[in-house]
Amino acid sequence: MERRGAGLAALGALGRRLLWALPAYAAGLLGLGAGALVLALALYAGLGAARGELPAWVSFPDVERAEWLNKVLAQAWPFFGQYMEKLLVENVAPSIRASNSHLQTFTFTKVDMGEKPLRILGVRAHPGTHKKQILLDLNISYVGDVQIDVEVKKFFCKAGVKGMQLHGMLRIILEPLLGDVPIVGALTMFFIRRPTLDINWTGMTNLLDIPGLSSMSDTMIMDAIASYLVLPNRLLVPLVPNLHEAAQLRCPLPRGVVRVHLRGARDLRSKDRFMGGLVEGKSDPYAVLRVGTQVVTSRVIDNNLNPTWDEVYEFIVHEVPGQEMEVELFDKDPDQDDLLGRMKLDLGEVLKARVLEEWFPLQEGDRGRLHLRLEWLSLMSDTCKLDEVLERNRTIVAKPDPPSAAILVVYLDRAEELPTKKPGKEPNPMVQVSVQDVTRESKVVYNTSAPVWEDAFRFFLHDPINQDVDIQVKDDPRQSSLGSLSLPLARLLDAPELTLDQPFQLQHSGPGSRLYMKLVLRVLFLDAPESSGPAPTPPGQPDPAASPGGTHQPTHASPDPQFGTEHVLRIHLLEAENLIAKDNFFKGVVRGRSDPYAKVRVAGRVFRSRVIKEDLNPRWNEVYEVIVDNVPGQDVEFDLFDKDIDKDDFLGRCKVPLRQTLSSRIVDKWLPLEEVKSGRLHVRLESLAPRPSAALLEQVLHTNSLLQPARGEELSAALLSVFVDRAAALPLRKGSKPPAAFASLAVRDVSVKTKTCAPTAEPVWDEGFSFLIKRPHVESLELQVKEEGGQPLGALSLPLPQLLASEGLALDGWFPLAGGGPGSQILLRAQLGVLVSQQVEVGASSVSLDGGDAAPQPAEVPGEEEHGAGGLRQRLVPAESHPEPAEGPLGRLQLTLWYHGDERKLVAIVHACRKLRPVSKELPDPYVSLVLLPDRSRSTKRKTSVQKKTLNPDFNERFEWDISLEEASRRKLEAHVKSTLSFMSREKEALGKLHLDLAQVDLSEGGPHWYELRDERSSP
């Protein structure tokens, strides 16, 4: 009855939500068109906001698929084509003919929007900045067969468009919300970031031969079209007549201003090579900074891989979160400039931090970092802080322009009764708005003395007290003046809320000529304390405050504040669903499947999964680990491909902001695949912060043994951070010549090295490195100091158990170099951090991964084959969370039995035996064999390695059986401890056995237990 009641409650809740769509349906019947559709979309997205009324089994992802909307678009697409044809022929064509005398015979000869409609890959709803606003982000993809043909008869020119692609994130703002139908007053649409736009032109060369268009290029046209779709440009669609907020919605005030201090870069790649690449030169770097349509370019620094710019730029920010700043570094060349790297940063991070100064890693350049300081300037509607802002700006040395104290927004609405220069000839008015040496131009409105522009212009003001805004109204294309206006900005400083909204009488114009404008001034205030500390030290660069020479040597290393703050990101690539079938046969008549694999990119590393053959719903269960910095702007990117003989086909991509994982620690979600029609990817990301405590190390090692993939690298238990400060008293070479030294560090097969210092016996490196540690009890750090030619100058071996026994798991000081000169030593800090996962925190009793916590299953690595198909053996860490038992009749066997729910496998870990009873005078060579009863076939048998001459062997080996949980509960496990008699003999000596009914074992616990061995001749 309770389950029936819950079901009825759920149906009732869903029914109430569906009733919300009735106003949209009614609005459609009333002929309100797009408003009804978007209103329904908003209500659909709003369904997720009321989750509390639905039972726990109803889940709502962050991004809704909204396939119903694609069906609506598919059915409405032919009618949209009819609307576009009418719009282009009746509105756009006359405007084009009036814009240029050479285009007076311009016509559209064909408008066909094709049969492929726009698709919406996902919808996400955001809370608005106030209660009368709803924000929707639509991930749109249009790969259309549109065909539009145009003709300019005067020049016998025919051109057109045949095919177009558009991919990007479209934001729709529903505002204001009303208390009457259609509920929403207007729709505002724009792309936050520049979308991907590709147009297949036909006859473009003919069109560009027309006078007046010859100066344009295909790239310029593409840039103009793409830029028109991006902020600050907005498309406003009013849904009710006489909407008072229309002007404000079309051109709202910015959210703020970001001031970017472009400091410098380090370790850029050398792109200039000479003599056929034999001689490596340097690069001539410069930076391009972009926020929406705002683009600035720094000066070029010649022949420098560590450039310093010290330039300041300011960008207006319209939407946060969402808007990003992109910085690209190029090497200036005579022909084509080479990319040195790029980085992106969500400006919402700057808003949160107010001041953000970091060395940002560069992507797509293999190496290099960029030093930026970003400041969020709030907009103030009064002058109480203006004097403070002006005083602070005087202390800032800014190039190429001085820092701004305010911004001015000019809303240009309309004009009336403009003069006519020729009787019977209406003017083509346009407006030029200037502040100091910056001029903006409005569009041209043709053949009217009462033009309506509805445009906005934004200016940075360095000294609003003494600056003016100058306005010229001109007749295009003759540029003859129709009137002018000059307005001191000091007048705005005395106006209420620093705003003037009124008609202005034009000078040198007609007696009734007026210009309707709204001018808004806002003071730019940095609401953050003054920075008192030094700028962050770039990785691999010496501290300017440290003295590399002198008789006094520091007693401790001096790492920068970012040292040891890295996290380890554990990426679980779980599965995918509904992938596109790319393998088709007989020219597409027979539809096949795909052979999917994934590429994972993060922090400059690329991981590739194994290929799953012929599966549109692949299941990888693979895990990757990477060391990451807590630096904004990084993403974890997933690209899916179909493996083919020639070129692999693209199956979609998705990404997760790295900062989201670091802040929430665990992200487990299904991600919709972008740029494809269908598909989604299930990933689990876990951020592991190193802890300087060994209290949970044994539990970490044991939990890792349970989560350990059957194939692939061992999971990491700790992070080793090493800061190499300097060396002293290095041996001299060739009598008295000091060496040019560097240090190489290695842990297992991972090795790194410092930079090579100039010749000196006391080199200063000041560089930090991090290593993933699998088994802290047995691994060590190997360090060598070498001369530039490779000759050794000294070595240090630091066993990690020394760190485990140290306070705070850290050692900091001078260490002697073996094999060096007398007194040769190195100053370093080494610290260990234990990686405590969520499973460790909740204890071994809750390690079960049922429900999405994935264990990995990466590609095969060399290992020992097990006796039996499907069996794998792997060396594991010791499990010592339970004390050893007292001596039994035949000794004890320590086992862990656990069911891996995500991989659907029974796992057995043979840890150790204790107090075995010898059956002869010689010590035995024990091993353990396992068999899963009642089947005694080869596929159910497993066997450990042999331990020589011991009564207390340690095995720590893991075995697996591919069976269901129900099947496992019906099985029995039999373990035999045996000893080999001799190398040449096949006979075995029985030391004891164990018989377990798995139905009586808690397979979800995953903890080690001691079991008493019985005589081989005893019954189960």
Side-chain angles (χ1 to χ4, degrees):
M1 292 298 292
E2 293 180 359
R3 181 176 298 179
R4 181 181 179 186
L8 291 175
L11 291 176
L14 287 171
R16 288 193 297 273
R17 300 303 173 201
L18 291 176
L19 287 175
W20 288 3
L22 288 180
Y25 177 72
L29 293 179
L30 294 175
L32 295 178
L37 184 63
V38 178
L39 176 60
L41 176 62
L43 295 174
Y44 177 77
L47 180 63
R51 308 179 183 191
E53 299 185 24
L54 298 178
W57 50 265
V58 180
S59 63
F60 294 87
D62 291 337
V63 179
E64 303 284 352
R65 298 286 295 181
E67 283 300 322
W68 65 271
L69 189 55
N70 288 320
K71 295 179 181 179
V72 173
L73 289 174
Q75 187 170 352
W77 193 251
F79 302 96
F80 175 74
Q82 297 175 14
Y83 167 75
M84 286 300 299
E85 180 178 8
K86 182 179 179 181
L87 176 68
L88 293 175
V89 172
E90 296 182 3
N91 297 88
V92 176
S95 298
I96 294 177
R97 287 193 289 267
S99 64
N100 193 307
S101 60
H102 300 289
L103 299 178
Q104 291 179 355
T105 57
F106 177 93
T107 57
F108 286 97
T109 58
K110 182 177 182 179
V111 178
D112 182 8
M113 296 305 295
E115 298 180 355
K116 298 180 179 179
L118 175 80
R119 284 189 58 81
I120 297 177
L121 304 181
V123 181
R124 184 174 183 178
H126 301 275
T129 56
H130 51 81
K131 293 183 179 181
K132 289 190 175 183
Q133 183 185 74
I134 298 176
L135 303 182
L136 299 176
D137 282 345
L138 276 64
N139 185 1
I140 67 171
S141 177
Y142 177 56
V143 183
D145 52 350
V146 58
Q147 184 171 355
I148 301 176
D149 296 334
V150 301
E151 182 179 4
V152 183
K153 296 181 179 179
K154 179 180 178 180
F155 297 96
F156 305 100
C157 170
K158 294 183 179 180
V161 174
K162 190 174 183 179
M164 180 171 64
Q165 293 191 32
L166 177 67
H167 308 280
M169 189 68 70
L170 178 69
R171 174 161 291 184
I172 299 181
I173 302 179
L174 286 71
E175 181 186 6
L177 300 181
L178 308 174
D180 200 355
V181 290
I183 308 300
V184 177
L187 308 179
T188 306
M189 293 177 280
F190 53 86
F191 286 96
I192 296 179
R193 294 176 289 276
R194 174 174 171 152
T196 302
L197 177 65
D198 185 16
I199 299 177
N200 183 23
W201 301 98
T202 60
M204 175 57 65
T205 56
N206 298 330
L207 189 63
L208 297 181
D209 287 338
I210 299 175
L213 300 181
S214 57
S215 61
M216 302 181 66
S217 67
D218 179 35
T219 304
M220 292 174 60
I221 295 174
M222 298 284 285
D223 289 344
I225 294 175
S227 298
Y228 181 76
L229 304 172
V230 183
L231 277 174
N233 301 298
R234 299 168 182 252
L235 176 62
L236 180 69
V237 182
L239 301 181
V240 296
N242 302 321
L243 184 65
H244 299 295
E245 299 93 337
Q248 184 66 25
L249 294 175
R250 187 175 287 107
C251 304
L253 273 175
R255 291 290 304 278
V257 170
V258 167
R259 180 176 293 155
V260 181
H261 298 258
L262 178 64
R263 304 290 201 200
R266 290 292 181 270
D267 302 325
L268 300 181
R269 291 186 59 190
S270 174
K271 290 288 188 177
D272 297 338
R273 300 177 184 272
F274 309 97
M275 300 178 64
L278 296 178
V279 179
E280 181 175 305
K282 295 188 177 181
S283 292
D284 307 317
Y286 69 93
V288 177
L289 294 82
R290 182 181 292 108
V291 175
T293 58
Q294 306 167 82
V295 182
V296 296
T297 303
S298 75
R299 73 183 192 276
V300 178
I301 307 295
D302 294 327
N303 296 321
N304 200 328
L305 300 181
N306 300 292
T308 298
W309 287 286
D310 284 331
E311 297 179 358
V312 179
Y313 301 99
E314 293 168 333
F315 297 95
I316 295 175
V317 183
H318 298 273
E319 290 289 326
V320 283
Q323 266 195 289
E324 293 179 337
M325 182 186 73
E326 181 179 8
V327 184
E328 295 178 310
L329 266 59
F330 294 94
D331 169 34
K332 186 68 176 177
D333 283 331
D335 47 4
Q336 183 176 1
D337 297 347
D338 298 317
L339 178 68
L340 297 175
R342 62 163 52 95
M343 59 81 63
K344 288 184 179 180
L345 176 66
D346 191 324
L347 296 178
E349 302 292 339
V350 186
L351 174 60
K352 293 178 183 176
R354 297 295 172 172
V355 176
L356 186 63
E357 185 166 6
E358 297 282 353
W359 283 89
F360 295 90
L362 294 176
Q363 308 295 330
E364 302 183 30
D366 295 340
R367 64 182 187 183
R369 288 182 177 248
L370 181 65
H371 185 190
L372 298 175
R373 174 183 169 90
L374 302 104
E375 302 170 346
W376 181 269
L377 306 179
S378 302
L379 306 184
M380 300 189 65
S381 58
D382 56 60
T383 59
C384 64
K385 299 287 186 179
L386 180 58
D387 292 337
E388 180 182 342
V389 170
L390 292 172
E391 184 64 29
R392 181 181 184 276
N393 285 356
R394 294 188 188 101
T395 65
I396 300 176
V397 179
K399 296 179 294 185
D401 297 311
S404 301
I407 63 167
L408 172 68
V409 182
V410 179
Y411 297 99
L412 178 63
D413 186 6
R414 59 190 173 91
E416 64 181 15
E417 297 185 26
L418 294 180
T420 56
K421 295 299 182 180
K422 290 185 179 181
K425 177 68 174 178
E426 295 287 347
N428 301 322
M430 54 88 66
V431 177
Q432 292 178 341
V433 184
S434 302
V435 175
Q436 207 159 335
D437 56 349
V438 179
T439 300
R440 316 278 191 210
E441 290 189 353
S442 74
K443 64 184 178 182
V444 180
V445 182
Y446 296 95
N447 302 319
T448 179
S449 58
V452 177
W453 292 285
E454 293 183 338
D455 210 343
F457 310 99
R458 300 161 187 89
F459 300 89
F460 287 109
L461 305 176
H462 310 303
D463 185 7
I465 299 175
N466 299 310
Q467 289 181 283
D468 300 329
V469 55
D470 297 315
I471 299 170
Q472 294 281 338
V473 183
K474 295 186 176 181
D475 184 8
D476 187 81
R478 294 179 298 275
Q479 294 289 308
S480 56
S481 178
L482 298 176
S484 62
L485 174 66
S486 182
L487 186 68
L489 293 179
R491 181 176 168 186
L492 270 170
L493 298 176
D494 297 328
E497 295 188 351
L498 310 184
T499 302
L500 289 176
D501 187 1
Q502 65 184 62
F504 295 88
Q505 178 67 43
L506 288 174
Q507 302 171 358
H508 312 294
S509 187
S513 299
R514 291 182 177 84
L515 192 62
Y516 288 80
M517 293 188 305
K518 179 180 180 181
L519 293 90
V520 179
L521 188 144
R522 289 293 182 264
V523 176
L524 302 179
F525 180 68
L526 175 60
D527 188 13
E530 292 288 340
S531 177
S532 57
T537 304
Q541 298 297 317
D543 187 352
S547 174
T551 57
H552 175 71
Q553 294 286 1
T555 57
H556 296 284
S558 54
D560 62 79
Q562 300 301 318
F563 172 74
T565 61
E566 299 95 340
H567 289 63
V568 173
L569 181 66
R570 189 170 286 171
I571 306 169
H572 298 266
L573 178 68
L574 301 180
E575 57 187 321
E577 286 184 354
N578 301 324
L579 299 183
I580 298 174
K582 288 289 187 178
D583 297 338
N584 298 321
F585 308 98
F586 302 107
K587 297 183 178 181
V589 176
V590 179
R591 191 171 183 84
R593 297 191 177 184
S594 291
D595 305 320
Y597 69 92
K599 284 185 178 179
V600 185
R601 292 183 175 86
V602 59
R605 297 283 305 278
V606 179
F607 303 95
R608 174 169 170 162
S609 75
R610 71 184 190 280
V611 178
I612 307 295
K613 295 290 186 180
E614 297 185 354
D615 198 341
L616 300 182
N617 300 287
R619 190 181 186 90
W620 290 284
N621 284 326
E622 298 190 9
V623 69
Y624 316 103
E625 293 178 327
V626 62
I627 302 171
V628 295
D629 295 319
N630 190 11
V631 176
Q634 300 184 86
D635 294 320
V636 186
E637 300 178 352
F638 301 89
D639 292 323
L640 269 61
F641 296 92
D642 167 38
K643 182 65 177 177
D644 284 331
I645 298 176
D646 47 4
K647 183 180 179 181
D648 298 347
D649 297 317
F650 179 67
L651 295 178
R653 64 167 48 98
C654 54
K655 64 181 181 181
V656 178
L658 179 58
R659 177 150 287 193
Q660 177 185 351
T661 306
L662 296 179
S663 60
S664 60
R665 188 172 178 187
I666 293 179
V667 173
D668 189 343
K669 60 170 57 176
W670 284 91
L671 303 173
L673 295 178
E674 301 176 357
E675 303 181 27
V676 289
K677 295 181 179 179
S678 67
R680 60 177 186 161
L681 180 68
H682 187 194
V683 298
R684 183 177 190 269
L685 309 178
E686 183 175 8
S687 171
L688 305 177
R691 298 186 184 181
S693 172
L696 292 175
L697 179 58
E698 296 305 327
Q699 183 61 46
V700 168
L701 293 169
H702 177 66
T703 302
N704 284 358
S705 70
L706 296 178
L707 304 179
Q708 181 61 43
R711 299 170 294 176
E713 289 192 9
E714 192 173 333
L715 296 180
S716 300
L719 180 70
L720 173 65
S721 299
V722 182
F723 184 81
V724 184
D725 193 312
R726 65 188 67 201
L730 293 183
L732 303 180
R733 294 303 179 191
K734 295 181 181 180
S736 60
K737 185 178 179 180
F742 69 90
S744 67
L745 300 88
V747 174
R748 297 187 318 278
D749 56 346
V750 179
S751 61
V752 295
K753 69 177 184 178
T754 68
K755 65 178 182 290
T756 301
C757 289
T760 176
E762 297 184 347
V764 176
W765 293 292
D766 278 352
E767 294 190 50
F769 305 95
S770 297
F771 300 88
L772 292 173
I773 304 300
K774 313 297 183 181
R775 305 181 188 181
H777 292 100
V778 297
E779 295 184 40
S780 63
L781 170 68
E782 304 296 332
L783 183 147
Q784 284 187 319
V785 180
K786 297 181 180 181
E787 196 176 3
E788 189 173 18
Q791 298 85 350
L793 300 174
L796 169 67
S797 180
L798 181 62
L800 298 189
Q802 289 188 22
L803 287 174
L804 293 175
S806 303
E807 183 179 357
L809 306 187
L811 292 172
D812 190 342
W814 290 94
F815 295 83
L817 291 173
S824 295
Q825 54 185 344
I826 188 168
L827 177 62
L828 61 81
R829 176 180 176 84
Q831 63 186 44
L832 201 64
V834 177
L835 302 177
V836 180
S837 64
Q838 185 187 45
Q839 291 88 352
V840 173
E841 290 181 337
V842 299
S845 61
S846 58
V847 178
S848 173
L849 295 186
D850 296 347
D853 291 356
Q857 193 176 355
E860 293 187 14
V861 298
E864 298 183 70
E865 290 287 340
E866 181 45 50
H867 300 282
L872 291 169
R873 177 172 64 206
Q874 184 167 2
R875 298 292 300 171
L876 300 175
V877 293
E880 300 178 3
S881 56
H882 293 262
E884 295 185 11
E887 181 179 354
L890 298 178
R892 297 289 191 273
L893 171 65
Q894 189 184 35
L895 285 177
T896 291
L897 296 174
W898 176 61
Y899 189 78
H900 196 319
D902 197 67
E903 291 196 356
R904 304 181 182 95
K905 293 179 179 180
L906 175 66
V907 177
I909 302 176
V910 181
H911 295 290
C913 293
R914 290 294 182 265
K915 306 296 185 181
L916 296 178
R917 179 187 297 177
V919 294
S920 64
K921 294 181 179 180
E922 295 184 358
L923 291 176
D925 297 333
Y927 68 92
V928 179
S929 67
L930 305 174
V931 60
L932 201 58
L933 300 177
D935 187 7
R936 290 183 179 271
S937 66
R938 185 180 180 87
S939 62
T940 63
K941 294 181 179 180
R942 306 288 187 266
K943 187 177 102 172
T944 71
S945 58
V946 177
Q947 302 297 308
K948 295 294 184 178
K949 307 299 181 185
T950 179
L951 295 174
N952 300 290
D954 289 313
F955 300 102
N956 295 309
E957 298 183 34
R958 167 183 172 132
F959 306 96
E960 298 176 348
W961 290 268
D962 292 319
I963 58 175
S964 66
L965 179 60
E966 293 75 18
E967 178 68 17
S969 63
R970 294 194 293 267
R971 296 291 190 107
K972 295 177 175 59
L973 182 68
E974 193 171 79
H976 297 264
V977 182
K978 299 180 180 181
S979 172
T980 58
L981 292 180
S982 67
F983 177 75
M984 301 297 295
S985 173
R986 295 177 58 88
E987 297 183 25
K988 306 293 186 293
E989 188 175 44
L991 301 178
K993 77 171 184 179
L994 171 68
H995 192 89
L996 290 176
D997 185 353
L998 297 184
Q1000 306 299 319
V1001 178
D1002 185 1
L1003 296 178
S1004 66
E1005 179 186 4
H1009 291 276
W1010 288 97
Y1011 298 93
E1012 181 178 331
L1013 293 174
R1014 306 175 65 180
D1015 190 276
E1016 281 281 346
R1017 292 167 295 183
S1018 64
S1019 59

